[in-house]
Amino acid sequence: MKLAMDAMGGDHAPDEIVKGALQAVKMDEDLSILLVGDEKRIKPLTENHPRLEILHTDEKIESTDQPTKAVRKKKRASMVLAINEVKEGRAQAIISAGNTGALMTAGLFGVGRIKGIDRPALAPTLPTIHQGKGFLLLDAGSNMDAKPEQLLQYAIMGSIYVEKVLGLKQPKVALLNVGEEEGKGNDLSKQAYDLMGNAPIHFIGNVESRDLLEGVADVVVADGFSGNLVLKNIEGVGMSLMSLIKKEMTRSLYAKLLGLLVYPKLKGIRKLMDYSSYGGACLFGLAAPIIKAHGSSNSTAIVSAIDQAKIFVKQDIVQTIQKTVLEMNDKETK
Amino acid sequence: MKLAMDAMGGDHAPDEIVKGALQAVKMDEDLSILLVGDEKRIKPLTENHPRLEILHTDEKIESTDQPTKAVRKKKRASMVLAINEVKEGRAQAIISAGNTGALMTAGLFGVGRIKGIDRPALAPTLPTIHQGKGFLLLDAGSNMDAKPEQLLQYAIMGSIYVEKVLGLKQPKVALLNVGEEEGKGNDLSKQAYDLMGNAPIHFIGNVESRDLLEGVADVVVADGFSGNLVLKNIEGVGMSLMSLIKKEMTRSLYAKLLGLLVYPKLKGIRKLMDYSSYGGACLFGLAAPIIKAHGSSNSTAIVSAIDQAKIFVKQDIVQTIQKTVLEMNDKETK
């Protein structure tokens, strides 16, 4: 299997990206990786490994770039060229820790959508507190004004992914809503509820935002606006709370000493709340596997994003999604 | 001043409601309170205070009742009769710790809307971690499919309330959105952004859900669906995190001992996260002051909801909102 990596995207690029790629090829002799980016910076990090190739380019998209403009202007950006390798059939999946919006745009321009899917969705895995297995949230911010049919498509894509990649039989799929009962919510969620109830998924109904971290569902479906609000809110409340605890633990010498003893315990929690550790986010609905690793990824996070991409390819998720959606549409037409 | 209280609404009704009312009239000799509910249960709790009257009724709305149906059928429910007292001019404000949806519905049927306001909004005050001053969130779940003009109305109502009741000059009003930059968001938020930028408020632009607890704004405007998602998410993440910390602190005897020392510190945080302590939520846009105390209110929370209602009346918030909205509409027509 051959993967294309944007070696220049992310806060610690190219060092941690290449380091992660090197670890991954060492662990899997069937894997080769094409690193796209500045050869002068990449080469010294590869240990001349035979299954690490380099495609040189000087151009890259910054995290602050306006996505559509950047993809249109920077035709030789590392991210764009990596996607092109998959488009041309020379690689099977793309991994980037760069600008999320640009990756989505470049993916749409480059490989296009899966037939039967209207809009791609961004799907990170978020933490849960009890078993720590996490849940897939989609859409987390790709498509701001979603339609009910699109939420249904997210549900199907999420369910297939969790079943095939995470190996969970009959994953529980829920709709993010303001109440658990049927009939709750806005026009969009009411209509999506009806559609999801008739879909070939294990739909468990609505989930409230207060229960998300308790792990009540494996796949949580939302429009991109709501999904993004909740994603950033979980992150923000977690961080605000941790900083508040830290503040409380410095109010006196006694508190400070107590703090020193307690922090090691809290570190585990901070890590749990840091959703970057749950692998990359998938860009579902594009006609090739595209994994968005977190911007702050270190080599370990990159290795786990590579693993994700490998299963994505091996399980042929893109084909499975296309087949399921087309079959469903056929049934509706009949 | 005379207030009407639904003495039968809330988890600890009528005991804590009447206890709170008694404290409030003892502290303010210009205040009298009409307690609506079961006389047999209320009377023994009033100490025969001369400024505590009772309006007897056997009927009440349960927290589990379907709002519209309950308000229509239970015409002599304590909540409905309390609102009727204000409608008939015998009291100036209503306080209830009962069913939020029913209170909103009964308010709409009973006193109606402020002229110029399309839809009422539910507006709780949420905590912030630094100064603990909190921020007003509206709409937190009353109107699920809001229009841009309605978000503008929320912004104006919230700004007036925070300025007049909390005494904050030029309160910072922000729009809940998925990014800070102008042009971010869904159709609704983009249009609302433009309207709010031209309104007679101190509009500071978009706020992201991750920054809410940091206290970047005094008033945060959202459609009822998004507002409710964020409200319940803040509550849920806070609670999940606290229970996780508790779990971590029981893993070993050492952790347990450490836990005993640390809990007193964490209690303050749990209290901060418990938004019920931030007084009642206002039902903005109704033609009389209606305060929704938290369902779990004890007498202290009831006293603070009464204080809120008093300032609401004294500052003539309803008239100020109506005047501001009509002036603004006049300007637009010219």
Side-chain angles (χ1 to χ4, degrees), chain B residues 3 60 80 89 102 104 108 110 148 192 205 211 257 261-262 277:
Chain B
L3 305 178
K60 65 167 182 160
V80 175
M104 183 64 90
L108 271 169
D211 299 322
L257 289 171
L261 300 173
V262 170
S277 61

Side-chain angles (χ1 to χ4, degrees), chain B residues 35-276:
Chain B
L35 297 159
V36 187
D38 185 351
E39 186 162 17
K40 256 181 258 161
R41 296 192 59 194
I42 297 169
K43 190 72 187 171
L45 304 162
T46 60
E47 299 181 0
N48 288 316
H49 194 285
R51 281 179 280 110
L52 284 184
E53 292 172 54
I54 302 172
L55 174 60
H56 173 74
T57 181
D58 287 326
E59 226 167 15
K60 65 167 182 160
I61 292 175
E62 308 292 338
S63 63
T64 50
D65 280 348
Q66 201 281 323
T68 321
K69 208 184 281 180
V71 171
R72 212 174 281 154
K73 287 200 171 173
K74 297 181 172 177
K75 290 200 192 305
R76 289 198 54 78
S78 53
M79 181 192 284
V80 175
L81 291 186
I83 288 173
N84 193 52
E85 288 304 299
V86 173
K87 185 189 175 188
E88 302 286 340
R90 289 189 292 269
Q92 288 154 283
I94 304 119
I95 296 150
S96 172
N99 185 317
T100 311
L103 187 62
M104 183 64 90
T105 308
L108 271 169
F109 283 176
V111 299
R113 287 177 287 113
I114 294 176
K115 213 176 154 179
I117 299 293
D118 297 341
R119 295 289 196 106
L122 181 67
T125 302
L126 300 191
T128 51
I129 61 161
H130 294 305
Q131 303 123 17
K133 65 186 169 75
F135 67 95
L136 192 76
L137 174 72
L138 77 171
D139 174 21
S142 168
N143 178 18
M144 286 297 139
D145 287 283
K147 300 194 168 53
E149 296 74 26
Q150 291 163 357
L151 295 196
L152 171 63
Q153 291 166 9
Y154 301 163
I156 289 165
M157 293 194 288
S159 180
I160 289 172
Y161 175 83
V162 169
E163 184 165 350
K164 301 270 180 179
V165 174
L166 307 184
L168 218 69
K169 288 278 156 229
Q170 282 216 305
K172 290 181 275 184
V173 182
L175 177 67
L176 182 66
N177 209 335
V178 297
E180 289 184 0
E181 310 85 354
E182 189 177 347
K184 284 278 179 182
N186 55 14
D187 288 343
L188 175 66
S189 59
K190 285 177 199 165
Q191 291 176 42
Y193 187 100
D194 292 339
L195 291 176
M196 287 169 73
N198 293 316
I201 50 172
H202 179 33
F203 180 51
I204 60 162
N206 295 320
V207 61
E208 286 198 81
S209 58
R210 85 169 95 220
D211 299 322
L212 286 174
L213 298 193
E214 303 291 323
V216 291
D218 304 308
V219 178
V220 174
V221 172
D223 66 278
F225 188 80
S226 305
N228 194 276
L229 283 183
V230 162
L231 173 75
K232 288 180 180 156
N233 201 48
I234 290 175
E235 191 191 26
V237 174
M239 290 299 167
S240 292
L241 225 63
M242 293 309 287
S243 80
L244 187 63
I245 290 173
K246 222 163 188 170
K247 205 171 121 194
E248 292 284 324
M249 301 313 277
T250 51
R251 282 197 189 281
S252 64
L253 184 61
Y254 165 68
K256 274 182 198 164
L257 289 171
L258 207 53
L260 288 178
L261 300 173
V262 170
Y263 287 150
K265 311 258 164 219
L266 300 188
K267 258 184 199 159
I269 292 170
R270 192 190 278 271
K271 204 182 155 193
L272 181 87
M273 290 306 299
D274 178 10
Y275 62 88
S276 65

Side-chain angles (χ1 to χ4, degrees), chain A residues 28-74:
Chain A
D28 176 358
E29 56 183 22
D30 294 326
L31 179 68
S32 65
I33 295 179
L34 178 73
L35 297 159
V36 187
D38 184 351
E39 186 162 18
K40 255 181 261 162
R41 297 192 57 194
I42 297 169
K43 190 72 187 169
L45 304 162
T46 61
E47 297 180 2
N48 287 318
H49 194 286
R51 282 180 279 113
L52 284 184
E53 293 172 53
I54 301 173
L55 173 61
H56 174 73
T57 180
D58 287 326
E59 226 166 16
K60 66 167 181 159
I61 292 176
E62 307 292 338
S63 63
T64 50
D65 279 349
Q66 201 281 321
T68 322
K69 208 184 281 179
V71 171
R72 212 173 282 153
K73 286 199 172 174
K74 297 180 172 178

